[in-house]
Amino acid sequence: MNTANPDATATEQISDIEDKVTAIREVFASGYSKEYAWRVEQLKQLELLIHEKQNLLLEALAADLGKCKTEAWISELGFVLSDIKHTLKHLKKWMKPRKKSTPLGAQPGKSYVLPEPLGTVLIIGAWNYPFQLLLAPLVAAIAAGNCAVLKPSELASHMSKLLAELIPEYLDTNTFAVVEGAVDETTELLAQRFDHIFYTGGEAVGRIVMSAAAKHLTPVTLELGGKSPCIVDNTANIDVAAARIVWSKWMNAGQTCVAPDYILVDKSVADQLLVAIEKKIQAFYGESAETSEDYGKIINQRHFQRLGSYLEDQNVVFGGGQNVQTGYFEPTLVLNPSLDSELMQEEIFGPILPIITLDSINQAIPFVNQRSKPLALYVYTNNDDYAQKVLHQTSAGNVCVNDGFMFMTNPNLPFGGVGNSGMGSYHGRSGFDRLSHLKTVMERSFKFDVSLRYPPFSKLKLSMLKRIL
């Protein structure tokens, strides 16, 4: 390193970005990554990386976010492993042409859809699940036969550095590259021409990504977030609902894009739910979550201070304890906050859970619909009619009835947002399809003479055409 210029390394990396992207695009153009065998090999190498380096990966997650080994394995390493295994099992079938019927007027012939790789994909990961949210899109990119440039989040610095070391060690360096850095590096990446951009993060940066992509007419997948509501009516099993709400809200100290952002509860069971949630928090994390090995920390001081500001002038009925030195922010319940406050205007993305009581649970649907479409919506009820009413009268990227984000565990379900919470979906086949071009193909036969097939329009009988078409 040039000691006279501490920014020399960063500057050199930025200047190298265009050359890296160009080189990878040239490799893709050679057809190198399209073969089934190559895709399988890269997926298995990624699987091997997880198995062989799991201790280092777990240590990085603990250093960045305070994740315990069990949580880190379930929500990060194990999640990606499951995705890889599912993809390897089905990949050959996904790659096959998909037969479609051919109308009589186009006979003799056959029609099908042929999946083909898009090209070179830029994947921009997020800090809250810095392994999963970078590598799960990569699984889809590899499966579809693409090359990729990976940009891990600089906020999860330990994981970013580790992946920059491990990816070249295990994956094909001709087809994959990792670019570390912050705003300058990301800006330079976005200035390049890619065939698809996959971004996970916040709405503000999502707009920047989409704007940059528009200059090259590059398609994007945006996995954003928003304020995901949790509706609890008076027929729900309150004890079970409380346990599942606590599990899904305070995993990763609430820093999860699909965590419940606020609760809407029928006032007749509000006190019961509040007590049940408090008991479950203590059952999960002990009398003090600060000493619990199962409870994480806030990623950095900026986010810590942001969360603290949300509690100003609020009715905190449980928790609220903070330790800025360690990043500890206690699981916190706020009762009936002002709807105009930042707490109810911004995505919380932390361990604060507002609880809003409603005179009638029928008020929940208009409450949700008056706001931006969320990434997830949860409804706890034993009333099937009400559950169906919520499903059909609200819009959300994903919905789970009587549980938290368990839908994430099913690789057969696409995951993605709608409206301000994002666009495009992935996981399993939906990820393969998202990062493929589904090319329309029709093959015709020479069995009939062209002059017979395409006579002048004036000689065609309209009645016969109507029957054929």
Side-chain angles (χ1 to χ4, degrees):
M1 179 183 289
N2 182 355
T3 56
N5 181 7
D7 295 326
T9 301
T11 303
E12 183 180 351
Q13 186 183 49
I14 290 175
S15 66
D16 289 343
I17 286 176
E18 183 177 0
D19 291 341
K20 284 184 177 181
V21 175
T22 300
I24 290 177
R25 290 183 62 83
E26 289 174 354
V27 171
F28 175 79
S30 71
Y32 181 64
S33 67
K34 295 182 180 181
E35 298 298 324
Y36 172 75
W38 177 89
R39 304 184 200 194
V40 169
E41 180 187 6
Q42 297 307 302
L43 289 170
K44 288 185 175 179
Q45 281 296 110
L46 194 56
E47 188 177 38
L48 186 64
L49 182 158
I50 297 173
H51 285 303
E52 290 188 346
K53 303 299 183 181
Q54 61 177 302
N55 290 336
L56 292 176
L57 294 167
L58 293 172
E59 288 171 6
L61 290 168
D64 286 329
L65 290 153
K67 294 190 180 186
C68 70
K69 291 182 179 180
T70 303
E71 179 184 327
W73 180 264
I74 291 173
S75 65
E76 302 254 22
L77 279 61
F79 186 99
V80 176
L81 272 178
S82 176
D83 207 12
I84 292 171
K85 290 177 180 177
H86 179 81
T87 300
L88 286 170
K89 180 179 179 181
H90 298 282
L91 180 57
K92 187 171 286 188
K93 179 180 179 181
W94 295 346
M95 290 176 63
K96 288 181 178 179
R98 303 172 190 180
K99 295 179 181 179
K100 305 294 179 181
S101 61
T102 301
L104 182 61
Q107 297 289 354
K110 63 179 180 179
S111 305
Y112 55 93
V113 170
L114 183 65
E116 67 177 12
L118 290 174
T120 301
V121 178
L122 172 61
I123 302 173
I124 305 175
W127 56 261
N128 59 321
Y129 289 87
F131 185 81
Q132 181 214 130
L133 295 178
L134 190 73
L135 275 295
L138 178 61
V139 171
I142 294 172
N146 298 292
C147 301
V149 176
L150 306 178
K151 169 57 181 69
S153 173
E154 70 279 8
L155 298 186
S157 58
H158 295 86
M159 181 58 73
S160 177
K161 181 180 179 181
L162 182 60
L163 289 176
E165 296 171 357
L166 295 182
I167 294 295
E169 182 180 339
Y170 283 84
L171 298 187
D172 188 340
T173 55
N174 292 313
T175 51
F176 302 108
V178 180
V179 175
E180 285 196 281
V183 174
D184 291 344
E185 288 78 10
T186 305
T187 301
E188 182 63 23
L189 279 169
L190 290 173
Q192 309 307 312
R193 180 170 173 257
F194 288 94
D195 298 290
H196 196 94
I197 298 176
F198 198 114
Y199 168 74
T200 303
E203 182 181 331
V205 178
R207 293 177 186 275
I208 295 172
V209 170
M210 195 169 182
S211 177
K215 295 176 182 178
H216 298 289
L217 293 180
T218 301
V220 298
T221 298
L222 301 179
E223 299 298 346
L224 306 177
K227 298 187 73 64
S228 297
C230 178
I231 302 170
V232 182
D233 80 353
N234 58 8
T235 70
N237 183 318
I238 297 299
D239 191 60
V240 173
R244 294 174 179 177
I245 289 170
V246 169
W247 174 81
S248 56
K249 173 61 182 180
W250 282 284
M251 178 181 285
N252 198 23
Q255 299 167 118
T256 304
C257 59
V258 289
D261 198 87
Y262 62 91
I263 292 177
L264 300 173
V265 57
D266 190 300
K267 68 177 184 180
S268 65
V269 293
D271 290 342
Q272 185 182 351
L273 178 66
L274 185 60
V275 171
I277 290 176
E278 292 176 5
K279 288 182 177 179
K280 295 301 179 184
I281 291 173
Q282 292 173 339
F284 286 11
Y285 303 113
E287 289 297 320
S288 172
E290 188 169 13
T291 59
S292 172
E293 64 178 19
D294 294 320
Y295 191 68
K297 65 179 182 179
I298 305 305
I299 185 70
N300 59 27
Q301 287 195 8
R302 180 172 67 85
H303 282 282
F304 193 95
Q305 292 166 358
R306 173 184 63 83
L307 291 166
S309 70
Y310 288 167
L311 296 184
E312 295 176 6
D313 302 319
Q314 297 291 357
N315 181 22
V316 176
V317 294
F318 181 87
Q322 304 168 36
N323 186 332
V324 68
Q325 280 73 34
T326 63
Y328 169 70
F329 201 113
E330 187 178 8
T332 302
L333 301 176
V334 174
L335 186 61
N336 288 322
S338 168
L339 301 185
D340 295 327
S341 65
E342 283 192 328
L343 184 65
M344 288 305 298
Q345 293 295 316
E346 303 293 334
E347 182 180 9
I348 295 171
F349 220 70
I352 306 169
L353 182 59
I355 298 176
I356 300 165
T357 59
L358 302 176
D359 292 333
S360 168
I361 202 63
N362 289 325
Q363 296 173 301
I365 291 175
F367 189 102
V368 170
N369 289 339
Q370 288 164 8
R371 289 155 178 80
S372 297
K373 295 178 180 181
L375 182 56
L377 184 149
Y378 307 101
V379 55
Y380 290 86
T381 178
N382 270 320
N383 184 333
D384 290 340
D385 289 340
Y386 183 70
Q388 291 301 312
K389 186 176 180 181
V390 172
L391 283 172
H392 289 91
Q393 294 185 15
T394 62
S395 180
N398 314 270
V399 179
C400 196
V401 179
N402 292 333
D403 209 337
F405 44 77
M406 285 299 291
F407 58 84
M408 297 284 289
T409 66
N410 185 351
N412 297 299
L413 288 175
F415 169 74
V418 59
N420 283 23
S421 62
M423 61 183 67
S425 59
Y426 72 119
H427 292 171
R429 178 168 167 170
S430 63
F432 174 89
D433 286 354
R434 184 66 180 173
L435 295 181
S436 298
H437 168 56
L438 303 180
K439 181 165 59 181
T440 295
V441 181
M442 179 183 282
E443 295 184 12
R444 298 296 315 283
S445 169
F446 283 121
K447 287 184 178 179
F448 292 132
D449 184 82
V450 172
S451 62
L452 295 176
R453 175 57 60 182
Y454 302 113
F457 284 121
S458 60
K459 294 186 178 182
L460 290 174
K461 290 185 178 181
L462 188 57
S463 59
M464 182 181 296
L465 279 176
K466 287 181 178 178
R467 287 196 298 273
I468 293 175
L469 300 176

